[in-house]
Amino acid sequence: MDWFILQLLNGLDKGSAYALIALGLTLIFGTLGVVNFAHGALFMIGAFCAVTLSRILTLSHQVVDETKTDFLGNPLKVDVPYVYDIFGESMGASIIDWAVPLSILFAIPVMIGIGVIMERGLIKHFYKRPHADQILVTFGLAIVLQEIIKYYFGANPIPTPAPEAFTGSFDFGALLGFDPGSIIYPYWRIIYFIFAAIIIGGVFAFLQFTTFGMVVRAGMADRETVGLLGINIDRRFTIMFGLAAAVAGLAGVMYTPINSPNYHMGMDFLVLSFVVVVVGGMGSLPGAVLAGFLLGILESFASMREVIEILPGINQVIIYLVAIIILLTRPRGLMGRKGVMED
Amino acid sequence: MGILEVKDVNKRFGGLQALGDVNLSVQENTVHAIIGPNGAGKSTLLNCLVGKLIPDTGSVLFDGQSVLGRTPHEINQMGISRVFQTPEIFGDLTVMENMMIPCFARRDGAFRLHAIEAVENEAELRDQAEAMLDDVNMLDKRNMHSASMSRGDKRRLEMAMCLVQNPKLLLLDEPTAGMARADTNNTIDLLKEIKEKRDITIAIIEHDMHVVFSLADRITVLAQGTPLVEDTPENIKGHPKVQEAYLGESH
Amino acid sequence: MLGLEKKDATLLLIVFGLTMLAPFLLNPFPEGSAMAQFNAGYPDLMQRFVIFGIFAIGFNILFGLTGYLSFGHAAFLGIGSYAAMWMFKLFGMNVIPALALSVVMSGLFAVLIGYVSLRRSGIYFSILTLAFAMMSYALAYSVLATDMDGPDRQGLLQKGLTGGETGLQLTLQDPRILGQKAAEDGNLPVPNIFGLEMRSSAELELGNWVFTFSAGYYFSAVVMLIAFYLSIRIFRSPFGMMLRAIKSNQQRLNYTGLNPKPYTLAAFVISGMYAGLAGGLMASMDPLAGPERMFWTASGEVVLMTILGGAGTLIGPVLGAGAIKYMENILSKINSDILHGWFAFLPDGLEDFVVAIIYPFIGKGWHLTLGLIFMAVVIFLPGGLVEAGQRVARMFRGKKAEDDSKSASTEPAE
Ligand SMILES: Nc1ncnc2c1ncn2[C@@H]1O[C@H](COP(=O)(O)OP(=O)(O)O)[C@@H](O)[C@H]1O
Ligand SMILES: [Mg+2]
């Protein structure tokens, strides 16, 4: 039983990331009808928002520390971050320590800005073009964004740790009455899951309980009619794109302590997220979330040593296998509406 | 028994009964017109004949064989060709290429992999296609990009594409809508000529009564998914029910 | 000529001339001159031009004609490479049987993957092909690389069918039942065609110029010309016309009595076989096959090539493949020193400024240039380089010729 819970938990953090990215992809596809291959890049940019903020916070100037000397006996120069000057040393240190969570505040406006610029500057012109063209132009954009990040941050992963307070692990084993240490789970992954749940809940609440959300949902169900009602769909589309970008970005910010960000992480996740969207049902928000968690958990179970011994490599292909089976037997996915792109 | 026998066909779209107990018998080598107000279910009926839709209940027999459950290309190979209400042509291809495709379909069936010899070298098929284009007065447009033509020309091209297949049953969905008067008259003449020269049965949906009365041997009036009356043109003209349901408003 | 119309025959002749003279044409700058780094006339790069040309020509038969956008064609490239390697290991180093097996194997896999993927269209088709390719990659990387000989034996399958991350390599233990197990000097044997080694080459020195003629390049070029010739025939055939009809209006095709499915499947399989041929040639030039050849980026690359050159045109994919491989190899070599050298004539401050602006786009940043060019093509020039060429030609021919070219552009594709 303990192994079961352990694998379940292990699947949750990856599942959360899949769900968040797939949610954004679906928002864009459902409202705008656009297949966005650059969505993974938004996830990646979010992660690099965290890197950027922690670099800004650690921007330092050198001061001479009279109390210490280097090996030649000269007074030692030490780097002092500017935040120390502003907030004092202990406060400054904890601000730096909390760089990743603080990046949320930093990433929201940045991501919304990027999303809006993307939609107004590029995507808008592709609403009426074939899906293949949308895939191609956003694929090109993904390459460009990825290369810009690579140019400024280099090709190597950049470790971006979680705050000190969250570095440990939680012993679920002891809590649930199994052997202590049988199920240990890093704090940060718990945080990530809770965070994902909040964001997902927030997006659904936003769509459910605001007028804006109602129009958007109506638009997802029947775009033409809503357009005919004379409701300004354009502006709402732009806002939706910004929102989806922010969701992807925040997913990226919070993922940094789990996996050190690198420039190609977006594409790695994108390929899988597409598969998730398809499994969930193109255009279905609950489907995207459900499929994200399901596939994350499935992947985690498939990675168990006992499973791999029987079916070698199954962990690497399970998601694709499920997607192929779903697409062939139930093309509308787990929760897709009938008739949506069943061809 | 007619070449086309539609029996008790029903089709619903959600709450809307698009076709209700439709019975229709089209005799071989006749022109059968189906008329009725917009939304009466005329196009839906044709969709059930060519495999685009499957009726909820009922049967459709063509030449004594059921068409239900067959794919559109199988039905076409049985001898049914259709002109759509909004022109369906190969917009990226030239007029001549548009004509060649049905020629190949007629000669080679639903699939044949001839990937090496050039289309250019199919002299016999090309002659057929050109002769047909000539019949619809479009030979001069043979090298045109078909998407760039007028709606009327697209329609005439689509009709030529269907006719060159030499179908047993030709289904026409408002073939003269959007055509200039002269082209409409040409189309009437063409269809009359075809009818005389070939063994062909035509089912035509048409709003233009001039076209209907020039061509039709029999007329079925459809209203709200159900046939109202079926009779000869003379009798339909004076039929009070028809006057009321349909002709009354358009004349 | 060869059953082609005059226009197509001319195109084929031009391509023939260009590929045969490539060692000269691609080496315009004398050895040791400042511009010599722009020379592309060395065998390794020229081979890549033509091999990726084949890959893109095949991809274009599927995407350019039918509009079905496969994001997983690299799977067939990889299968072709592995098949050729096994032929080298088991039978001998002659490239002809190796290539034959590459084509057959990739064709078989294409039937399988195509049959399943083509049950969907649009973006679903793209994702299905992507999923299949990534599955192949994952399998080649791990499962198929596990020891299948058993722990006590050290035989052929010790590293599985694919060799995993390091790839499939030749060893001196390979049986090669129809050929030599090792070269005369005891080293690994080299792929050859009836004795002529692929890596052999001749050099010609003319003044400051050095031209290299490599057997591998000329062999690949001949294969590419045959592949190109076949693609012209396919484009002009009834089959090619049906494929364009599928892209244009599948519904009309159905109601005209034609079944689109076998046509698209045939196009898929043919283009998979082209990819397999390209993969086999890659292994023939450099006997090694690794899973990265099947990664989705490789599939993306052939998409880029085809669209950059001009999807649906005959020559476009070859141009696109050449342009991207040239950028990859030449643009990526330019560093900031070279840039400073070029702009040395500018005043110092301005020089630094200009270099700083250009620098992100060259060297390791060449992908950025590629991405930007690609986006520009998709947005402004859907016909790719070929359309650009046509527009320029039209500009030069002036107004009178404009009407002619209008009717010319309605013809299938040039
Ligand atoms: N695919 C469909 N889905 C839902 N309703 C449809 C569909 N096709 C037709 N209808 C409806 O069925 C009715 C009959 O349509 P149609 O056969 O096109 O009429 P007609 O051709 O006689 O003008 C109309 O009310 C139309 O809105
Ligand atoms: Mg109608």
Side-chain angles (χ1 to χ4, degrees), chain B residues 101 104-105, chain C residues 237-246 253 258 263:
Chain B
I101 287 176
F104 280 113
Chain C
S237 72
F239 174 64
M241 191 170 72
M242 296 303 173
L243 297 182
R244 284 188 293 125
I246 286 173
L253 202 67
L258 290 154
Y263 283 104

Side-chain angles (χ1 to χ4, degrees), chain C residues 384-398:
Chain C
L385 292 175
V386 169
E387 188 185 329
Q390 284 169 343
R391 284 197 194 171
V392 171
R394 219 168 294 166
M395 251 160 47
F396 277 108
R397 258 183 287 152

Side-chain angles (χ1 to χ4, degrees), chain C residues 101-408:
Chain C
L101 187 70
S102 299
V103 173
V104 170
M105 287 307 289
S106 52
L108 287 177
F109 275 90
V111 170
L112 212 76
I113 295 180
Y115 181 78
V116 177
S117 306
L118 284 167
R119 293 182 52 183
R120 302 277 164 254
S121 63
I123 159 172
Y124 285 83
F125 170 80
S126 302
I127 292 174
L128 271 173
T129 48
L130 181 62
F132 271 116
M134 288 307 286
M135 243 171 82
S136 315
Y137 167 79
L139 290 174
Y141 196 91
S142 59
V143 188
L144 297 176
T146 48
D147 188 349
M148 298 179 191
D149 269 349
D152 42 313
R153 289 180 46 218
Q154 296 256 307
L156 258 184
L157 289 176
Q158 193 197 349
K159 295 188 82 188
L161 278 170
T162 60
E165 189 179 357
T166 47
L168 195 59
Q169 292 162 341
L170 297 176
T171 67
L172 288 169
Q173 283 79 46
D174 295 334
R176 268 185 283 284
I177 49 176
L178 296 177
Q180 316 154 282
K181 287 188 80 150
E184 264 129 47
D185 53 9
N187 287 333
L188 286 171
V190 181
N192 60 67
I193 174 165
F194 306 116
L196 175 63
E197 290 188 356
M198 285 295 132
R199 67 170 180 201
S200 62
S201 64
E203 284 194 356
L204 171 69
E205 267 183 63
L206 281 179
N208 285 331
W209 281 267
V210 180
F211 302 108
T212 315
F213 305 92
S214 124
Y217 168 69
Y218 275 100
F219 176 70
S220 309
V222 169
V223 176
M224 194 274 271
L225 284 170
I226 297 172
F228 184 58
Y229 169 71
L230 284 178
S231 103
I232 300 182
R233 295 293 295 247
I234 289 175
F235 266 62
R236 300 299 179 230
S237 72
F239 174 64
M241 191 170 72
M242 296 303 173
L243 297 182
R244 284 188 293 125
I246 286 173
K247 182 179 183 177
S248 182
N249 189 343
Q250 207 168 129
Q251 158 137 318
R252 184 20 102 193
L253 202 67
N254 266 317
Y255 295 106
T256 308
L258 290 154
N259 186 359
K261 287 239 167 78
Y263 283 104
T264 28
L265 182 60
F268 190 91
V269 173
I270 291 173
S271 76
M273 286 159 79
Y274 268 75
L277 179 66
L281 273 174
M282 282 165 108
S284 304
M285 297 302 120
D286 179 12
L288 178 80
E292 75 289 341
R293 224 161 258 185
M294 302 170 120
F295 199 61
W296 71 266
T297 45
S299 299
E301 193 177 16
V302 75
V303 177
L304 295 181
M305 289 172 174
T306 307
I307 292 177
L308 184 65
T313 65
L314 279 172
I315 192 68
V318 185
L319 293 179
I324 286 181
K325 286 294 148 190
Y326 186 83
M327 274 165 67
E328 179 185 282
N329 286 275
I330 306 294
L331 211 54
S332 64
K333 268 196 253 159
I334 305 171
N335 55 34
S336 68
D337 288 345
I338 297 175
L339 278 186
H340 276 290
W342 289 348
F343 296 105
F345 64 92
L346 294 172
D348 268 359
L350 194 58
E351 177 188 327
D352 289 343
F353 179 71
V354 172
V355 170
I357 290 201
I358 300 180
Y359 184 67
F361 298 96
I362 49 131
K364 285 192 188 120
W366 79 275
H367 268 117
L368 179 58
T369 316
L370 177 64
L372 287 171
I373 294 179
F374 179 71
M375 280 177 72
V377 165
V378 176
I379 298 170
F380 302 112
L381 209 74
L385 292 175
V386 169
E387 188 185 329
Q390 284 169 343
R391 284 197 194 171
V392 171
R394 219 168 294 166
M395 251 160 47
F396 277 108
R397 258 183 287 152
K399 184 123 181 68
K400 192 202 140 274
E402 202 166 320
D403 309 312
D404 307 8
S405 63
K406 236 181 213 152
S407 62

Side-chain angles (χ1 to χ4, degrees), chain B residues 19-35:
Chain B
L19 295 178
D21 287 327
V22 174
N23 283 288
L24 182 74
S25 173
V26 177
Q27 301 306 312
E28 200 162 354
N29 295 335
T30 62
V31 176
H32 196 121
I34 300 164
I35 61 174

